[in-house]
């Protein structure tokens, strides 16, 4: 619905996709979000060209061969901080918006900011995924995904004020605000 509303307001398909991606980061956080990557294939009817975007996260600047050798690692571990990349999603949103968009990040993120502050009802499948969060021992994770000590259940409103604040920071300052 978020994407459809952007289209109804005159936004481009890419504008709608960015707004929808932001909404999915709130409403289905286990599958997508600003902590991940973004890949896109866009057909530009004006130029009759197909464009591809790989906003895959880069390796952290300090994740050098020397660092891995110092830690006596022959390869990147499957888990933990040394397996992480710098998220590429927000950079991808900005690149797509600059090339094909007609709206500002402030306009595109506004619906998701409101939903994150006011809450969205949890659908059945997502409630099932949230149930897995009940067993987490990570206090920061639990503070976001288990408000009041319990994972949100089917139909309950899920709010994520931390994500609303982050989206607002991106809306106000663009991609550079996110990557600082």
């Amino acid at each position: 619905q978020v994407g459809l509303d952007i289209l109804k307001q005159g936004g481009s398909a890419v504008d709608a996709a960015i707004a929808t991606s932001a909404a999915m980061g709130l409403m289905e956080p286990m599958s997508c979000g600003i902590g991940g990557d973004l890949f896109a294939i866009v057909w530009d009817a004006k130029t009759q060209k197909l464009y591809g975007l790989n906003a895959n996260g880069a390796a952290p600047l300090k994740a050098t061969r020397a660092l891995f050798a110092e830690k006596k690692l022959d390869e990147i571990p499957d888990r933990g901080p040394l397996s992480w990349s710098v998220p590429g999603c927000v950079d991808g949103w900005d690149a797509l918006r600059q090339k094909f968009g007609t709206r500002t990040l402030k306009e595109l993120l506004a619906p998701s900011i409101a939903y994150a502050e006011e809450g969205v009802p949890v659908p059945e499948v997502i409630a099932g995924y949230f149930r897995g969060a009940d067993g987490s021992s990570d206090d920061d994770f639990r503070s976001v995904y288990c408000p009041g000590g319990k994972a949100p259940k089917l139909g309950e409103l899920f709010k994520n004020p931390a994500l609303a604040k982050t989206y607002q920071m991106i809306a106000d300052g663009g991609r550079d605000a996110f990557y600082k």
Side-chain angles (χ1 to χ4, degrees):
Q1 185 62 51
V2 168
L4 182 58
D5 289 346
I6 294 292
L7 290 172
K8 286 180 179 179
Q9 296 164 11
S12 70
V14 166
D15 291 328
I18 293 167
T20 300
S21 176
M24 292 299 296
L26 166 68
M27 298 174 193
E28 192 173 323
M30 64 290 301
S31 300
C32 51
I34 57 175
D37 302 321
L38 181 143
F39 304 93
I41 298 173
V42 178
W43 173 254
D44 184 9
K46 290 179 189 170
T47 62
Q48 296 289 295
K49 288 185 180 179
L50 188 63
Y51 293 86
L53 175 66
N54 177 349
N56 190 13
L61 186 63
K62 293 185 179 181
T64 63
R65 287 184 182 193
L67 174 76
F68 284 87
E70 178 185 310
K71 296 186 176 292
K72 298 184 182 357
L73 294 170
D74 295 328
E75 58 187 39
I76 297 171
D78 289 337
R79 294 173 189 224
L82 292 176
S83 68
W84 302 339
S85 65
V86 176
C89 180
V90 174
D91 199 36
W93 284 349
D94 203 44
L96 287 169
R97 187 190 61 75
Q98 287 183 35
K99 180 116 179 124
F100 303 107
T102 63
R103 299 294 187 257
T104 65
L105 281 173
K106 187 178 230 60
E107 292 169 299
L108 299 177
L109 298 179
S112 292
I113 292 167
Y115 281 126
E117 290 171 342
E118 297 164 17
V120 292
V122 176
E124 186 174 359
V125 171
I126 305 308
Y129 286 119
F130 273 139
R131 272 194 301 277
D134 272 335
S136 174
S137 61
D138 184 289
D139 290 338
D140 291 329
F141 177 88
R142 289 185 60 73
S143 72
V144 172
Y145 297 107
C146 299
K150 292 281 187 190
K153 294 181 177 16
L154 172 65
E156 288 182 358
L157 284 184
F158 171 67
K159 298 178 183 182
N160 191 336
L163 184 60
K165 183 178 177 182
T166 302
Y167 279 175
Q168 189 63 60
M169 184 176 65
I170 295 166
D172 292 341
R175 66 172 291 281
D176 293 333
F178 181 72
Y179 289 106
K180 285 187 180 179

